C-alpha cells in the first residue's frame, strides 16, 4: 500500500497562509456552484433492470443448439442503447470463447457457435456460460454489470458404450436358482454414457439371441440399474455347456423412442458339478435318452481252482465305472468310485467272491465245487466316495467251469495276410497290402484268463513248410520259412487249428496273398534274330515282331521296346508292340545289311527296372518267291471261360505271305482231347467241345501256316487259360450229424458243426454260412460252428429246427441248405412260483379247529420237479406255528385252534408269515409267498343300556333343541370296531306322536325336542330309544324314556335375563363376592348352577343363595372378562337328577376384571447404546428408551428419569449433568457441549416408573459415546432423502445386522439424512439422491468403531445389502457408494496443499515487488504541482456535491461506506493482513462505478453471519442496502479497560477539546455469550493460537480492528503522547492497560453480537493521562505520517496488493480534513497521479520544515507503530503510524445512548476512488 501522511486540520506550522486562502476560496466557489444545480434523479435509473426478482438472468438451452439460437430476448435494462437519444451503452464482459453475441438495440443475446458445437459432454464440458452485460450510463458515467448465466442442458446424443468388447463368467451347474452369477457391470466395468442425468443413467436388459434361444429364459436381470444377472432356471452341464447372453445397455431418456442402446455378449460357461452318479462301461444308450442299457459282466472260474492261481478273475468286459460328471474342476475335486457287491444268489456268494473297492477286481476267495454251485448271479454297485446318493448297478454272471472243458477259439472267423515275394525268410505276414502292420492271430481259451497266454498249439493243414506260427503269446504271428515266387504261386490258402492239448478249436481259414516284386527281367525268345528283306518292301510294312516275356505282374510285367542302335533311321519299332517296320520314305537297296540292337525294359519303379537286349540282323535281297507265310506274333495268349458255348470263335490267326500264296492252317499239338478246331483256310480258332476247368484249366496249342512250298511253313504258339465260372453248388458233408443238443441257460454254448465244400475257384469257391431262422438265439461262424447267442430256456421252448444255408462268394452266389434238429436239455434253473405272491385271508373268530382257510399252489417249470410246502422258519413268530399249519404235499393252510377276537391282545389282530415251495431234488432256492390272516370280529355282544328306563322333564314352552335327558348304552365288543360302536335312534313305530315331538342324537344319546313345545302341563310322553351297533351281524337293544311336562309355576324365573356386576380387582382374594343372582318360583326351593363359561373353575356359585364369588386368583392380563351362563332349577327337579332348561330359568352373567398395577415395567433392552457428535448443540436428541408394561391405562404410562453418577474429582454441586431425558417420551438429549471429548463415553442409568411415576420402577443402562465425523461413513443412495427417512429404521436394522456379523451387539446410529452433496467442495446438493451419515458403536469398548472398519464391514457386503434394501426403496433404488464425510476429505486436502500455497504466495509477492518498484518511482517523480492542485479542486467540488443532509451538530455526510476485503473479513481474528478503507465522502456514481454497488437501488437489509464462516458478505454487484449510520463518528476512538475491568469507548477529540474533559462511553456486554473466564473457548483453536501470538509478538501495536455481527467496526488504540519532530526523545504513556494474551480475543468475542452491546453512561472524566507541554493537555486526532522513503516504498506495496493482502489505512473524515481513498492499481489516470503527487509533496514539505535524522525517524517509528502490514518482518518499521496534530477542532457532542456503528462490510476490494 502507498504509505502517506494524511494531514489533519492544517496548522500554521505546516501550511503557508496563501495556500490556505487560495484553497478556501476555490472550495467556496465550487460549493456554491454545486448547490445551485438541480438534481436529476431519473438519470440514476438508467442501466438498472426494469424487472423485479433476482438480479442475475438465468436461461437454459440444449447442447448442440444451432448458431444464432436466441438466449435472452430482452435484458429489460432501463435506457436507450442506440440512436440519437441514446442514454446507455451495452457491451459484453467475461465473454469467454465468445459464445454469446449481444444485439444492443434489442438487448438480446444470441448463441455464437459458428464452426463449432456447443457440447456439454466430454471433452468440451461446457455446462454453463456466464457473461456480464456491462451497461454504461452515458448521462452520469456509472457502470453496472448484469450477470447472465446460461445453463447448457444435456441432450441424449451419446449412446452407452461398454468398457469391454465382451464379458465372461463361469458358473457351476449346481448354482441355485435366484443366485446372482454376474456383477461385472458394477463400478466402471460396465457401460458408460457420457450424457448427464437420466440420459447418462444405464439400464441393463437381456435380449433374445437367435443363436442361443435358451439364454434369455435361463438368466434374468431383475435390477436393471445394477446390471447384476441372476439365474432363473437350473443349469445342466450335460445339456448345455455354454450360453451366449446378449446384454443390452440403454440410457434412461424420458422418452423411450429417444433412448440409445449398446449391446455386448456375456459368455456364460457352465462348469460341471457333481449332480450325476457313476455309470458302468461300456454304455449303450437307450433310444435318444442319456440312460444306459443294463449291462451284464461275465466271468468264468475253473472249479476247484486255488484263488492264488487265478486272482484277479478275468471279467468280460472289464468292470469299470466312471463318474458321469467328467469335467469337474479342478480334477483333484473329482470323486473316486467305490465298488461293492450288493446282492447275489446263491446267498453264499460272499464266501467265494469279493470285489475290490477301488479297482473293481473280482477276487476268488476259495475253490468252488461245481457240484454245489454252477453259476453266481451278482448285482454290483458303483458309488462315489463322497456320499453321492445316486449309485449305479450292473449284473455280474460268474460261470463255474469244469476243469479244461472249454475249447480254444479264434476271435476271427478268417484271416487274410499279405507278403511280398521278395521278402526274406523270417518275414512276418502283414495284415494289409501296405505291409505296415503284422497280421495277429488271436485264439483264446475260456479255461485261461484273457489277459494271460493260453499256451495253445497251432497247426496248419498245409503249407507248413512255407509258413509257421509263433509258439507263445496271446497274439500269434505267421512268419515265412522259405522264399516265395509269385510267378509260381500268387496266393496260399490253408486252415489253422488251435489246441490246448485236450480241446481243439474250430479251424479258421488263412489266405495269404503274395505281392509282386520286380524280380524278373524281360526275356527275348532268341539272343538274335535274322531277317531277310526284299527291296519291294513298302514303308510301314512289318519286318519282325519281337516279344520279350516278363513274368512279373502289373507295371513290373509291362515291357517297353526301343532300338538302341543300327537302325540308321530306316527302321522303327513300336514301344509297346515290339513290331519292327520300315520307316516312312525309306527305299531299301539290294545288298544292304543292318544289325539292330533292341532293348526290352519293364515299367517297374525307376531304381528297380530290369531290361535285356537282342540283335536283329537284316539283309536286303532282290524280290523272289521263296519266303514262307509269317504269323504277326510268335505267341498268342488267350483266356476263355469254361462256360463258353461250342462253335464260338476264339482267335483269328492270320499269317502273311509275301507271294500271296494260299495258306493252310493246322493245329500241330497241344489239344489231345480235341476241344479246339482251327479252320484250314481262314485260320479261325473255334471251340469244338465244352470245357471243364475243374478237369483241365490250361492249354498250349502249336499252330502252323503253310503255303505248300518247301520250307514254306511257319509256326506260332497259342496259350489258352480256361477261366472258372460259378457252376458248382456248395455241398454239405453228409457224415456230420444233424441232430444236435444244447444245455439250457448257457451263453455262447457250442451246439454243433457243419461243413460245406465248393470246387469253384476264388470267391466262387469260398463257402459262407448263415442261419435262416432263430438268428437271435443262435449264431454260426465262418467255419460252420454253431453257438447260442443268449442262454436258452427250456421252459420257454425245448426244441428248435435250425436251417443252415451255405453259399459261395460270387456276385450271383449258388446256395444249398441243411436242416438241423436242436434239442434243449433241461437243468434245474427255476424256482417254484406261487400262483399269488400275496395271500389275504379273513378268518372269522370262533372258526373250528383244523379248518382249511387257504389252498396254496406253486408251479416249478423244470422237468420232474417234486414240490413240498412249508411255513418259512426264518424270523418266524413261534405263535404262528401254534396257530397255523401247511400240508407239505397239498399246500392246504389250516387253523390249529379256535380263536376269540375279544381275547386277543391286539385291537386289530393280524398274522403275517411267509410260506415256501421247495423242489426236493432240485438245487434252486424255494419259492416264497406272503400270507396275511386277519381275525374278524363276529359281534358277540349287543349294546346294553345303563338303565332300564329313563325319566325326563320339560317345560311346556321349551324351544326346539332343548335337551331333556340323556340315554347311555355300552357294547362289550372291542372299542373302535364296528361291533363296539354304539349309535342311537328313536323307534318310530312304538310311540309315533312322541317320536314326532322328541328325537335322540345318534352319537351322544341326548333326547331333545324336535319342535318348539306348546303342550299342556302334567302331560307325559313315552319314547322308545334303540341302541344298535355296526357289527356282523347287527345287534341292538331298546329302553323306555318317560318325559313329563312340568307346570310353569315350578320353573324358576330369573329377575334379569343378563347380570352385569361391578368390575372385580385382579388382586381380589379367593372367595371375594362378585355379585348375586336371583330367581323366583312358586312354593319351590331354588338351586342355582353354572352351566357355561366357567372354564377352569374361576368362579363359584352358591347353589342356594345365588352368590357368585371368586374361586381362583384372577389375572387381568390373561382374561379381562368372563361370560357365565347360569341356571335355576327347583329342588324337585334337582333331586331327581334332572334339569328343565327353558327361556326363564337361564341367565347370562357378565363379569369384568379390573386391572391393577401388578406388573413392573420392562425395558425393551437392558442396555441402550447411542452416540453424540462433538459439535452437537444443547438439547440434541441422542436416543429414545422405551419400557413396556403389561398393565393398562395409567399403570402402563411411564415417567423416565436419569441417574447420572458424578464425575470423579469434580464438585457435585457445581457439576452439570451431561444429559437430560424427556420424562414422558424417553428421549435422551444432550445438556452440555462435548468439544474435544471424542473417544470418550458416558455411562449412566435410566429409571422407568409406571403409573406416571407413582408405581413400579425398572432400571436400564445407557452408554453414550462421543464421536465426530472422523468416525462416520456416508451411505450414498440414488433415492431422495424422504424415502430414506421414511424407512430409516428398517434400513438401519439391515446395516446393523451386517455390522453385528463382525462385532456382536454393535449399534449403528444415524447422524444425519440429507441430500447428496457433490462437486469439488461438496457444496452442491442433489435432492434426487441422499446421504445417510452413520457410525457404529462397539458395546465392548463403548466407543465408535473406526471409520475404516465400518467401511470394510459395509462395502464388502454392498451387493447383499442392496438386495435387502429393495423392498424398502423405490424401483431401481440402491446404494451407490459408501464414502468418507466431506469434512474428513477437505481436511486431508488442506493438509496436503497448505504447504504449497504459502510458498507460492510468498514467491509471488517478491516477484511483484521487484517488478513494480521502478515503475512506481518514475510515475511519482513526473507528477507536477499544477496537476495536484487541479485534482484537489476537482475532488473538493465533488465532495461538496455528494454531501447529504447531516445530523445537527455534524457537518459530515449521512452515507458512510466502509469496505474491507473478503479475506480480512473471513479471517477476522487471525494474524492476516487487513485493509480498511475509512469512509470516504464520495459521490454515489463514483462509488458505484468503482465498486459495483448501485447507490440508487433498494437493497435488502439482512445479516450475513453463519456459524461456519462467520459473515457471508455480499458478492460483487449484489443488491445489499447500505445502512445509514445512526450516529456519525468521523474518526476512530479508543476502547480502554479500566481498573475495574470495564470497557470504555473514547472518541478522538478535536483541537478545540484539547485539554478538556475527555468523553467516555461505557460498553455494556451480554455475559450469556461468555462461556469461560478467559474468553478463549468460544473461538476455534487456530484463532485462539493466532490471537495469542499476535498480541504477544505485537505488544506495542497501537490498535486493532474488531467487527460486530451486523458489520460495525470498533477500533482500539493506546494513548501515545504526541511526539513532534523537534522532540524526538519525548516519552509516551498509555492509559490503556496492556492487553493480556486473551484481551483481544475477549473483546472480539463480545463485539460479535452488536445487538447485545450498547454504549451507555457517557462520562467526561480524565483518563489519568499525563500530558506533555507539546500535547496541550488534549488527546488530538492522529494522522498518518511517514518519511519520504517510506512513502515511496509503501506506494509500491499498494499497487501490488492482492485479495490475500489487505492493509489497514485510516483516514480522518472531519470537515476540515482532506479525504483520500485508496488508489486502484488499474487506475493510471493523470488525475489520480496528481492527487498522489500532491500528497507526497505535502508530506515532504512537512519534513523539510522539521528535519529529522535517521535515528529520530527510527525512534518515531518505534513509538508510533500502529499495526503489522502485509505480514512483513518485525524489522520493517516503515509501517503506517498515527500522529496527533496540534489542534483538534470539534463542534459536536456524543449522546449517552449512541450506538456504535462504522458501516457495513463488503468482500470487494474497492480501489481508491479518483479524487
Amino acid at each position: 500500500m502507498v504509505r502517506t501522511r494524511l494531514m489533519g486540520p492544517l496548522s500554521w506550522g505546516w501550511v503557508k497562509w496563501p495556500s490556505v486562502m487560495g484553497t478556501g476560496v476555490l472550495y467556496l466557489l465550487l460549493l456554491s456552484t454545486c448547490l445551485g444545480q438541480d438534481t436529476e434523479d431519473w438519470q440514476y435509473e438508467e442501466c438498472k433492470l426494469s424487472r423485479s426478482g433476482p438480479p442475475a438472468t438465468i436461461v437454459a438451452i440444449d447442447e448442440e443448439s444451432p448458431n444464432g439460437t436466441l438466449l435472452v430476448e430482452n435484458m429489460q435494462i432501463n435506457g436507450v442503447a442506440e440512436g440519437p437519444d441514446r442514454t446507455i451503452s451495452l457491451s459484453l464482459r467475461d465473454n469467454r470463447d465468445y459464445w454469446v453475441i449481444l444485439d444492443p438495440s434489442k438487448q438480446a443475446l444470441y448463441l455464437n457457435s459458428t464452426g463449432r458445437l456447443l457440447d456439454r459432454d466430454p471433452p468440451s464440458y461446457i455446462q454453463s456460460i456466464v457473461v456480464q452485460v456491462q451497461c454504461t450510463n452515458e448521462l452520469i458515467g456509472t457502470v453496472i454489470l448484469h450477470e447472465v448465466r446460461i445453463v447448457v442442458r444435456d441432450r441424449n446424443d451419446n449412446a452407452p458404450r461398454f468398457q469391454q468388447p465382451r464379458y465372461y463368467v463361469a458358473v457351476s451347474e449346481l448354482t441355485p436358482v435366484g443366485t446372482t452369477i454376474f456383477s461385472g457391470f458394477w463400478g466402471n466395468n460396465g457401460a458408460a454414457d457420457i450424457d448427464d442425468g437420466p440420459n447418462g443413467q444405464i439400464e441393463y436388459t437381456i435380449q433374445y439371441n437367435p443363436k442361443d434361444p435358451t439364454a434369455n429364459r435361463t438368466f434374468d436381470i431383475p435390477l436393471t440399474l445394477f446390471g447384476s444377472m441372476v439365474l432363473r432356471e437350473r443349469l445342466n452341464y450335460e445339456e448345455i455347456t455354454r450360453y451366449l447372453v446378449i446384454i443390452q445397455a440403454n440410457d434412461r431418456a424420458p422418452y423411450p423412442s429417444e433412448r440409445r442402446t449398446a449391446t455386448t455378449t456375456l459368455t456364460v460357461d457352465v462348469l460341471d458339478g457333481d449332480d450325476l452318479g457313476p455309470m458302468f462301461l461300456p454304455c449303450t444308450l437307450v433310444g435318444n435318452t442319456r440312460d444306459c442299457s443294463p449291462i451284464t459282466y461275465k466271468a468264468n472260474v475253473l472249479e476247484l481252482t486255488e484263488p492264488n492261481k487265478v486272482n484277479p478273475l478275468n471279467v468280460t468286459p472289464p468292470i469299470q465305472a466312471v463318474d458321469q460328471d467328467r469335467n469337474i474342476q479342478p480334477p483333484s475335486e473329482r470323486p473316486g468310485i467305490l465298488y461293492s457287491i450288493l446282492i447275489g444268489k446263491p446267498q453264499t456268494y460272499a464266501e467265494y467272491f469279493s470285489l475290490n473297492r477301488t479297482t473293481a477286481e473280482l477276487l476268488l476267495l476259495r475253490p468252488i465245487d461245481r457240484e454245489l454251485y454252477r453259476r453266481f448271479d451278482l448285482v454290483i454297485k458303483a458309488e462315489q466316495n463322497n456320499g453321492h446318493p445316486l449309485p449305479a448297478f450292473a449284473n455280474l454272471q460268474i460261470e463255474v467251469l469244469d476243469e479244461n472243458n472249454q475249447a480254444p477259439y479264434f476271435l476271427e472267423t478268417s484271416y487274410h495276410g499279405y507278403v511280398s515275394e521278395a521278402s526274406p525268410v523270417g518275414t512276418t505276414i502283414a495284415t494289409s497290402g501296405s505291409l505296415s502292420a503284422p497280421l495277429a492271430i488271436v485264439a483264446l481259451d475260456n479255461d485261461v484268463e484273457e489277459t494271460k497266454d493260453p499256451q495253445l498249439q497251432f497247426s496248419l493243414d498245409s503249407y507248413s513248410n512255407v509258413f509257421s506260427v509263433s509258439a507263445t503269446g496271446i497274439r500269434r504271428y505267421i512268419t515265412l520259412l522259405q522264399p516265395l515266387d509269385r510267378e509260381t504261386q500268387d496266393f496260399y490258402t490253408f486252415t489253422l487249428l488251435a489246441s490246448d492239448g485236450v480241446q481243439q478249436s474250430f479251424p479258421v481259414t488263412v489266405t495269404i496273398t503274395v505281392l509282386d516284386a520286380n524280380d524278373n527281367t524281360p526275356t527275348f525268345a532268341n539272343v538274335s534274330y535274322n531277317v531277310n528283306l526284299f527291296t519291294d518292301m513298302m514303308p510301314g510294312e512289318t519286318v519282325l515282331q519281337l516279344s520279350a516275356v516278363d513274368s512279373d505282374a502289373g507295371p513290373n510285367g509291362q515291357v517297353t521296346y526301343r532300338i538302341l542302335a543300327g537302325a540308321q533311321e530306316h527302321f522303327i519299332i513300336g514301344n509297346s508292340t515290339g513290331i519292327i517296320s520300315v520307316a516312312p520314305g525309306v527305299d531299301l537297296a539290294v545288298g544292304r545289311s543292318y544289325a539292330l540292337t533292341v532293348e526290352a525294359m519293364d515299367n517297374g519303379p525307376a531304381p528297380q527296372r530290369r531290361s535285356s537286349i537282342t540283335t536283329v540282323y537284316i539283309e536286303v535281297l532282290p524280290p523272289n518267291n521263296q519266303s514262307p507265310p509269317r504269323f504277326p506274333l510268335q505267341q498268342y495268349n488267350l483266356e476263355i471261360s469254361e462256360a463258353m458255348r461250342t462253335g464260338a470263335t476264339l482267335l483269328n490267326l492270320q499269317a502273311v505271305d509275301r507271294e500271296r500264296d494260299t495258306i493252310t492252317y493246322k493245329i500241330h499239338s497241344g489239344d489231345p482231347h480235341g476241344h479246339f478246331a482251327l479252320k484250314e483256310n481262314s485260320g479261325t480258332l473255334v471251340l469244338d467241345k465244352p470245357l471243364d476247368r475243374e478237369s483241365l484249366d490250361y492249354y498250349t496249342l502249336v499252330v502252323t501256316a503253310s503255303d505248300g512250298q518247301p520250307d514254306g511253313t511257319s509256326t506260332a504258339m497259342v496259350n489258352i487259360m480256361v477261366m472258372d465260372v460259378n457252376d458248382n453248388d456248395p455241398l454239405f458233408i453228409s457224415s456230420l450229424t444233424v441232430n444236435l443238443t444244447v444245455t439250457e441257460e448257457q451263453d455262447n454254448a457250442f451246439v454243433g458243426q457243419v461243413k460245406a465244400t465248393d470246387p469253384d475257384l476264388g470267391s466262387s469257391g469260398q463257402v459262407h454260412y448263415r442261419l435262416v431262422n432263430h438268428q437271435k438265439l443262435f449264431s454260426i461262424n465262418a467255419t460252420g460252428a454253431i453257438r447260442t447267442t443268449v442262454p436258452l430256456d427250456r421252459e420257454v421252448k425245448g426244441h428248435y429246427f435250425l436251417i443252415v444255408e451255405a453259399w459261395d462268394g460270387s456276385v450271383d452266389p449258388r446256395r444249398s441248405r441243411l436242416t438241423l434238429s436242436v434239442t434243449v436239455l433241461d437243468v434245474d434253473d427255476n424256482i417254484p412260483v406261487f400262483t399269488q405272491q400275496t395271500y389275504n385271508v379273513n378268518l372269522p373268530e370262533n372258526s373250528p379247529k383244523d379248518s382249511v382257510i387257504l389252498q396254496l399252489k406253486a408251479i416249478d417249470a423244470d422237468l420232474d420237479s417234486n414240490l413240498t410246502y412249508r411255513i418259512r422258519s426264518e424270523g418266524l413268530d413261534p405263535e404262528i406255528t401254534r396257530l397255523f399249519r401247511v400240508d407239505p404235499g397239498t399246500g392246504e393252510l389250516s387253523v390249529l385252534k379256535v380263536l376269540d377276537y375279544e381275547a386277543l391282545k391286539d385291537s386289530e389282530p393280524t398274522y403275517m408269515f411267509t410260506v415256501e415251495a421247495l423242489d426236493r431234488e432240485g438245487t434252486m432256492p424255494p419259492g416264497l409267498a406272503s400270507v396275511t390272516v386277519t381275525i374278524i370280529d363276529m359281534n358277540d355282544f349287543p349294546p346294553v343300556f345303563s338303565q332300564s328306563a329313563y325319566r325326563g322333564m320339560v317345560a311346556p314352552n321349551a324351544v326346539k333343541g332343548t335337551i331333556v335327558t340323556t340315554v347311555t348304552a355300552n357294547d362289550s365288543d372291542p372299542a373302535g370296531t364296528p361291533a363296539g360302536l354304539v349309535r342311537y335312534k328313536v323307534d318310530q313305530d312304538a310311540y309315533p306322536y312322541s317320536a314326532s315331538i322328541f328325537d335322540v342324537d345318534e352319537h351322544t344319546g341326548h333326547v331333545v325336542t324336535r319342535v318348539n313345545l306348546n303342550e299342556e302341563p302334567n302331560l307325559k310322553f313315552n319314547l322308545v330309544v334303540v341302541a344298535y351297533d355296526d357289527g356282523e351281524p347287527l345287534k341292538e337293544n331298546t329302553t323306555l324314556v318317560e318325559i313329563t311336562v312340568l307346570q310353569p309355576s315350578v320353573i324358576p324365573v330369573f329377575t334379569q335375563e343378563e347380570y352385569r356386576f361391578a368390575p372385580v380387582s385382579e388382586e381380589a382374594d379367593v372367595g371375594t363376592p362378585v355379585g348375586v343372582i336371583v330367581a323366583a318360583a312358586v312354593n319351590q326351593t331354588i338351586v342355582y348352577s353354572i352351566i357355561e363359561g366357567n372354564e377352569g373353575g374361576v368362579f363359584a356359585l352358591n347353589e342356594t343363595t345365588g352368590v357368585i364369588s371368586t374361586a381362583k386368583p384372577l389375572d387381568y392380563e390373561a382374561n379381562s372378562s368372563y361370560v357365565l351362563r347360569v341356571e335355576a332349577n327347583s329342588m324337585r327337579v334337582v333331586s331327581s337328577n334332572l334339569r328343565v332348561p327353558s327361556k326363564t330359568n337361564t341367565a347370562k352373567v357378565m363379569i369384568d376384571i379390573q386391572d391393577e398395577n401388578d406388573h413392573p415395567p420392562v425395558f425393551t433392552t437392558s442396555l441402550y447404546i447411542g452416540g453424540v457428535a462433538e459439535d452437537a448443540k444443547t438439547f440434541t436428541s441422542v436416543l429414545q428408551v422405551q419400557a413396556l408394561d403389561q398393565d393398562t391405562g395409567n399403570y402402563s404410562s411411564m415417567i423416565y428419569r436419569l441417574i447420572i453418577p458424578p464425575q470423579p474429582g469434580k464438585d457435585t454441586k457445581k457439576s452439570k449433568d451431561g444429559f437430560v431425558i424427556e420424562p414422558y417420551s424417553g428421549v435422551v438429549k444432550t445438556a452440555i457441549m462435548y468439544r474435544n471429548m471424542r473417544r470418550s463415553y458416558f455411562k449412566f442409568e435410566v429409571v422407568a416408573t409406571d403409573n406416571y411415576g407413582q408405581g413400579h420402577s425398572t432400571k436400564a443402562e445407557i452408554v453414550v459415546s462421543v464421536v465426530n465425523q472422523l468416525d462416520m461413513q456416508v451411505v450414498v443412495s440414488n433415492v431422495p432423502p424422504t424415502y430414506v427417512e421414511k424407512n430409516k429404521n428398517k434400513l438401519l436394522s439391515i446395516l446393523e445386522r451386517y455390522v453385528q456379523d463382525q462385532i456382536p451387539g454393535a449399534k449403528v446410529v444415524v447422524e444425519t439424512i440429507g441430500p447428496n452433496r457433490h462437486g469439488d467442495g461438496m457444496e452442491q446438493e442433489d435432492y434426487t439422491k441422499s446421504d445417510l451419515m452413520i457410525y457404529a458403536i462397539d458395546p465392548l469398548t463403548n466407543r465408535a468403531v473406526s471409520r475404516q472398519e465400518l467401511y470394510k464391514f459395509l462395502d464388502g457386503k454392498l451387493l447383499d445389502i442392496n438386495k435387502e434394501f429393495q423392498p424398502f426403496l423405490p424401483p431401481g433404488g440402491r446404494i451407490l457408494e459408501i464414502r468418507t464425510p466431506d469434512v474428513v476429505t477437505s481436511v486431508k486436502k488442506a493438509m496436503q496443499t497448505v504447504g504449497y500455497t504459502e510458498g507460492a504466495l510468498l514467491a509471488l509477492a517478491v516477484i511483484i515487488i521487484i517488478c513494480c518498484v521502478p515503475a512506481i518511482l518514475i510515475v511519482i517523480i513526473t507528477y507536477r504541482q499544477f496537476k495536484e492542485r487541479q485534482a484537489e479542486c476537482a475532488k473538493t467540488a465533488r465532495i461538496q456535491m455528494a454531501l447529504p443532509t447531516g445530523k445537527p451538530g455534524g457537518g459530515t455526510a449521512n452515507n458512510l461506506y466502509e469496505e474491507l476485503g473478503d479475506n480480512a473479513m473471513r479471517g477476522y481474528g487471525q494474524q492476516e493482513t487487513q485493509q480498511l478503507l475509512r469512509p470516504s465522502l464520495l459521490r454515489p456514481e463514483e462509488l458505484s462505478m468503482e465498486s459495483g454497488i448501485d447507490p440508487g437501488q433498494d437493497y435488502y437489509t439482512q445479516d450475513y453471519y453463519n456459524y461456519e464462516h462467520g459473515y457471508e458478505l455480499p458478492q460483487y454487484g449484489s443488491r445489499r442496502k447500505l445502512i445509514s449510520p445512526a450516529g456519525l463518528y468521523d474518526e476512530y476512538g479508543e476502547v480502554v479497560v479500566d481498573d475495574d475491568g470495564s470497557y470504555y469507548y473514547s472518541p478522538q477529540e478535536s483541537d478545540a477539546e484539547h485539554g478538556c474533559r475527555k468523553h467516555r462511553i461505557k460498553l455494556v456486554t451480554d455475559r450469556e455469550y461468555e462461556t469461560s473466564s478467559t474468553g478463549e473457548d468460544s473461538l476455534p483453536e487456530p484463532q485462539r493460537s493466532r490471537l495469542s501470538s499476535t498480541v504477544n509478538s505485537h505488544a506495542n501495536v497501537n490498535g486493532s480492528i474488531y467487527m460486530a455481527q451486523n458489520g460495525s467496526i470498533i477500533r482500539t488504540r493506546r494513548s501515545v503522547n504526541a511526539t513532534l519532530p523537534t522532540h524526538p526523545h519525548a516519552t509516551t504513556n498509555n492509559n490503556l492497560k496492556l492487553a493480556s494474551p486473551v484481551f483481544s480475543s475477549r473483546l472480539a468475542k463480545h463485539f460479535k453480537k452488536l445487538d447485545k452491546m450498547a454504549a451507555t453512561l457517557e462520562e467526561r472524566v480524565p483518563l489519568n493521562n499525563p500530558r506533555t507541554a507539546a500535547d496541550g493537555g488534549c488527546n488530538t486526532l492522529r494522522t498518518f505520517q511517514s518519511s519520504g522513503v517510506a512513502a515511496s516504498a509503501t506506494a509500491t506495496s499498494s499497487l501490488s496488493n492482492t485479495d490475500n493482502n489487505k492493509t489497514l489505512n485510516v483516514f480522518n473524515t472531519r470537515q476540515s480534513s482532506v479525504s483520500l481513498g485508496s488508489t486502484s492499481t488499474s487506475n493510471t489516470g493523470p488525475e489520480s497521479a496528481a492527487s498522489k503527487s500532491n500528497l507526497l509533496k505535502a508530506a515532504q514539505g512537512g519534513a523539510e520544515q522539521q528535519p529529522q535524522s535517521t535515528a529520530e525517524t527510527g525512534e518515531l517509528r518505534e513509538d508510533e507503530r500502529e499495526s503489522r502490514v502485509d505480514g512483513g518482518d518485525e524489522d520493517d518499521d516503515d509501517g503506517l503510524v498515527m500522529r496527533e496534530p496540534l489542534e483538534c477542532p470539534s463542534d459536536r457532542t456524543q449522546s449517552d445512548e449512541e450506538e456504535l456503528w462504522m458501516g457495513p462490510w463488503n468482500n470487494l476490494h474497492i480501489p481508491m476512488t479518483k479524487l
Side-chain angles (χ1 to χ4, degrees), residues 414-430:
S414 63
Y415 295 92
H416 196 158
Y418 299 86
V419 64
S420 172
E421 64 174 332
S423 299
V425 174
T427 300
T428 301
I429 307 302

Side-chain angles (χ1 to χ4, degrees), residues 967-1004:
V967 297
T968 305
N970 293 320
D971 196 319
S972 298
D973 288 316
T977 62
L981 178 63
V982 179
R983 291 188 289 176
Y984 305 92
K985 64 181 179 179
V986 174
D987 189 349
Q988 302 287 338
D989 299 330
Y991 300 98
Y993 182 71
S994 298
S996 65
I997 299 175
F998 300 98
D999 199 0
V1000 64
D1001 187 272
E1002 182 181 11
H1003 301 289
T1004 64

Side-chain angles (χ1 to χ4, degrees), residues 95 179 222 231 249 445 450 488 544 575 700 785 799 814 894-895 905 1079 1117 1167 1350 1368 1370 1380 1392 1395 1435 1655 1723:
N95 188 8
T179 302
L231 186 63
D445 190 344
E450 289 186 2
T488 302
L544 175 68
N575 58 356
T700 301
H799 194 85
R814 303 176 71 94
S894 57
V895 60
K905 299 178 182 179
E1117 286 70 32
L1167 174 64
L1350 183 59
F1368 311 114
T1380 303
Q1392 295 172 358
K1435 179 195 69 175
N1723 189 355

Side-chain angles (χ1 to χ4, degrees), residues 825-986:
L825 304 179
D826 182 48
V827 296
D828 186 17
D829 59 346
N830 291 278
I831 63 175
V833 179
F834 282 95
T835 56
Q836 294 179 232
Q837 292 299 313
T838 301
Y839 295 90
N840 295 309
V841 181
N842 293 327
L843 175 62
E845 64 173 334
N846 304 324
S847 295
K849 178 183 177 182
D850 295 328
S851 298
V852 177
I853 61 176
L854 179 64
Q855 176 66 54
L856 299 175
K857 179 65 175 178
I859 299 174
D860 191 339
D862 293 325
L863 299 177
D864 302 327
S865 61
N866 188 3
L867 300 182
T868 181
Y869 302 92
R870 66 189 181 190
I871 297 176
R872 189 178 181 90
S873 60
E874 294 181 7
L876 183 65
D877 187 354
E879 187 179 0
I880 300 295
T881 58
R882 295 193 294 269
L883 296 179
F884 305 99
R885 175 182 177 275
V886 175
D887 186 281
T890 62
E892 292 178 345
L893 178 66
S894 57
V895 60
L896 297 180
K897 58 187 296 188
V898 178
L899 301 178
D900 185 4
Y901 184 90
E902 288 74 21
L904 298 177
K905 299 178 182 179
D906 299 333
S907 59
E908 295 182 359
T910 301
Y911 300 94
M912 298 181 63
F913 53 91
T914 303
V915 294
E916 297 179 343
L918 182 67
D919 187 356
R920 297 178 183 176
E921 299 177 357
T923 60
M924 298 300 293
L928 305 178
S930 175
V931 178
T932 301
V933 180
T934 304
I935 309 302
I936 303 301
D937 183 21
M938 296 307 293
N939 197 9
D940 300 327
F941 307 99
V944 177
F945 283 101
S946 60
Q947 298 175 218
S948 59
Y950 292 87
R951 291 187 306 119
M953 297 180 181
V954 67
N957 58 350
V959 297
K960 178 182 177 181
T962 300
I963 299 175
V964 179
T965 187
T966 301
V967 297
T968 305
N970 293 320
D971 196 319
S972 298
D973 288 316
T977 62
L981 178 63
V982 179
R983 291 188 289 176
Y984 305 92
K985 64 181 179 179
V986 174

Side-chain angles (χ1 to χ4, degrees), residues 1288-1308:
K1288 176 179 68 175
N1289 295 332
K1290 296 176 182 177
L1291 302 180
L1292 194 63
S1293 63
I1294 295 173
L1295 297 175
E1296 192 170 74
R1297 187 170 66 253
Y1298 281 93
V1299 176
Q1300 289 176 352
D1301 290 343
Q1302 308 295 329
I1303 302 178
K1307 177 70 174 178
V1308 176

Side-chain angles (χ1 to χ4, degrees), residues 255-272:
Y255 299 99
S257 60
E258 298 178 0
R259 293 179 179 175
R260 295 174 176 262
T261 62
T263 58
T264 187
T265 300
L266 172 62
T267 301
V268 182
D269 278 348
V270 182
L271 302 180
D272 196 7

